[in-house]
Amino acid sequence: MAEKIRIKDIAERAGVSVGTVDRVLHKRPNVSAAALKRVEKVLKEMDYQPNVYASALAYNKSYTFYCLLPKHASETYWEEIETGALKAVEMRRDFDVDLEIMYYSRLDSHSFITTYQKCLEKNPDGVILVPTTLELTRPFTDELHERNIPFILLDSYMPSLQPLSFYGQDSIQSGRFAARMLMLVAGKEQAVMLMRQTKDGKMASRQQENREVGFRRYMEENCPETEILEVNLPLDEERKRYDRILEKFFSAHPEVRHCITLNSKAHIVGEFLLKTGRRNVQIMGYDMVHKNADCLRAGSIFFLIAQHAYQQGFFSVDSLFHAIVLKKKVEPVNYMPIDLLTPENIDFYHRSWG
């Protein structure tokens, strides 16, 4: 273990006072050029590493980060992000870090604009943001840049917005991976079902759009003979309506035995299959939420792709903490692993720090 270097030792070696060394370390004024040069020379020679944690605590400053998420029900990817972010704040309580979560409707541009305007009124120290379209998000991020407020993107990577950091999957590659895994099971099936959740014919998530791009590219390149039959389930509808749509689909397409969805709602189809006794049909989906896990164990879901939503929430807060409080550099792009969960390994898939 390296010997602790004291400020007194630095001062003696540089031939200056302890107060001068303290001013240099904390970048305070009233240090002569000659003294600054001598102290910096000694710091380099002694390989001095400041205790950034102690320094941050000494400032006794409070920080409030804001997190803008889509409105969501329980049992979703967003809930896991929220839980992870709150856990990271809990672990930084000594530094007086707090988190405020704000919600917007992802399919309502006015809701997003109103929400980010309220966020700006609060003058946040840092922001975690799930963006909507590039056009809607840019005015918000431009204002954050103007105010020198760091922000982190989740879900959709938009490099032109110049975020401090991004956490999420490579959506195109994730979609290709999903197609490969599906067809390993489906083989040379004539048709597979693609379940989508939409509003007014549009998907709510840029991430899901990109996954579908990757999915279809793989299918076109490797399985062009397999037809992709779409089933669009409107967002925020009652389960009875979903059941009617699914019953109509499977009655019309009894040949379909393999389904996929590129969102966290595979359990909608999985629960329908269990309820109607269609044991020869299975669905593949995303995200380790409880309802999906239950269907995986029961056999109506055959694979789940996990994207570490909890860790995304945790690391996004932690990155803001390191950048803003500790003044450290953070990684700009952080692609999460693409994990495949089955009934055999799901019970070993745990959150970190949870």
Side-chain angles (χ1 to χ4, degrees):
M1 183 174 176
E3 183 179 352
K4 183 177 180 182
I5 300 174
R6 301 176 302 174
I7 291 180
K8 179 182 177 182
D9 300 328
I10 300 169
E12 288 179 355
R13 189 161 171 175
V16 299
S17 69
V18 169
T20 297
V21 175
D22 184 73
R23 285 194 291 276
V24 172
L25 291 176
H26 292 93
K27 303 186 186 310
R28 297 191 185 108
N30 302 322
V31 179
S32 69
L36 176 62
K37 187 176 180 180
R38 290 201 300 274
V39 172
E40 288 180 338
K41 182 173 181 290
V42 170
L43 291 174
K44 186 175 181 179
E45 291 172 349
M46 299 178 77
D47 192 24
Y48 175 77
Q49 299 295 325
N51 187 333
V52 292
Y53 283 87
S55 298
L57 283 169
Y59 277 111
N60 197 30
K61 186 180 183 305
S62 62
Y63 304 87
T64 303
F65 304 149
Y66 279 75
C67 181
L68 275 66
L69 293 177
K71 292 177 182 176
H72 57 270
S74 61
E75 298 294 341
T76 63
Y77 163 74
W78 309 116
E79 186 179 37
E80 282 287 288
I81 284 180
E82 195 173 320
T83 303
L86 292 171
K87 181 64 176 181
V89 169
E90 180 186 325
M91 292 180 66
R92 304 300 185 187
R93 285 297 182 194
D94 288 348
F95 295 87
D96 203 3
V97 172
D98 199 9
L99 179 72
E100 295 287 339
I101 300 176
M102 306 179 77
Y103 304 99
Y104 65 90
S105 172
R106 202 157 192 181
L107 297 172
D108 181 352
S109 58
H110 181 72
S111 170
F112 179 72
I113 294 169
T114 301
T115 303
Y116 82 62
Q117 287 175 342
K118 288 180 180 177
C119 175
L120 290 170
E121 289 172 4
K122 302 290 185 179
N123 196 28
D125 294 293
V127 171
I128 300 161
L129 170 65
V130 176
T132 59
T133 64
L134 185 63
E135 294 72 25
L136 274 176
T137 306
R138 189 181 296 280
F140 180 32
T141 56
D142 283 350
E143 183 65 25
L144 292 174
H145 282 301
E146 181 70 23
R147 299 190 190 187
N148 199 28
I149 299 172
F151 65 92
I152 289 177
L153 293 181
L154 296 178
D155 187 52
S156 300
Y157 183 37
M158 300 178 179
S160 66
L161 299 181
Q162 298 180 296
L164 172 71
S165 190
F166 165 76
Y167 284 94
Q169 283 188 343
D170 182 326
S171 300
I172 299 289
Q173 287 299 98
S174 179
R176 292 185 64 89
F177 177 79
R180 180 186 291 273
M181 294 302 102
L182 175 69
M183 297 314 294
L184 281 177
V185 177
K188 296 188 179 296
E189 293 284 350
Q190 292 181 349
V192 295
M193 184 259 268
L194 172 64
M195 187 274 273
R196 307 158 84 225
Q197 280 212 288
T198 60
K199 186 173 180 64
D200 300 326
K202 297 179 181 178
M203 281 190 288
S205 166
R206 179 78 165 270
Q207 181 190 64
Q208 290 173 51
E209 289 177 3
N210 287 338
R211 284 177 188 163
E212 186 168 329
V213 169
F215 176 82
R216 289 185 180 276
R217 282 179 185 171
Y218 181 91
M219 296 297 288
E220 289 168 5
E221 294 166 8
N222 299 279
C223 310
E225 71 286 352
T226 302
E227 186 180 5
I228 301 171
L229 301 172
E230 292 181 13
V231 172
N232 293 321
L233 300 184
L235 279 166
D236 302 324
E237 290 291 340
E238 293 182 356
R239 178 55 61 94
K240 288 182 179 180
R241 184 176 181 196
Y242 292 155
D243 287 352
R244 287 196 297 269
I245 294 171
L246 292 171
E247 181 63 48
K248 182 178 179 180
F249 173 84
F250 286 112
S251 295
H253 301 282
E255 77 282 6
V256 171
R257 296 187 300 159
H258 298 92
C259 317
I260 188 167
T261 183
L262 303 174
N263 58 47
S264 63
K265 298 298 184 70
H267 59 83
I268 293 176
V269 180
E271 290 171 353
F272 170 81
L273 296 173
L274 292 172
K275 183 166 56 178
T276 57
R278 287 181 167 88
R279 295 288 177 175
N280 65 332
V281 182
Q282 292 178 313
I283 184 168
M284 176 179 175
Y286 276 76
D287 298 327
M288 171 54 172
V289 296
H290 294 304
K291 288 183 179 180
N292 283 345
D294 289 343
C295 288
L296 184 68
R297 294 187 184 98
S300 59
I301 292 178
F302 61 95
F303 285 146
L304 281 175
I305 295 177
Q307 55 179 326
H308 297 274
Y310 178 89
Q311 283 87 336
Q312 288 182 49
F314 184 97
F315 285 134
S316 61
V317 169
D318 207 48
S319 290
L320 285 180
F321 170 78
H322 276 81
I324 297 170
V325 181
L326 301 184
K327 314 298 182 187
K328 288 189 170 185
K329 289 184 178 180
V330 299
E331 286 293 323
V333 180
N334 302 273
Y335 286 126
M336 306 303 291
I338 303 173
D339 290 342
L340 194 66
L341 303 183
T342 70
E344 290 76 24
N345 71 357
I346 190 169
D347 291 328
F348 304 103
Y349 182 79
H350 300 293
R351 295 170 175 172
S352 297
W353 313 287

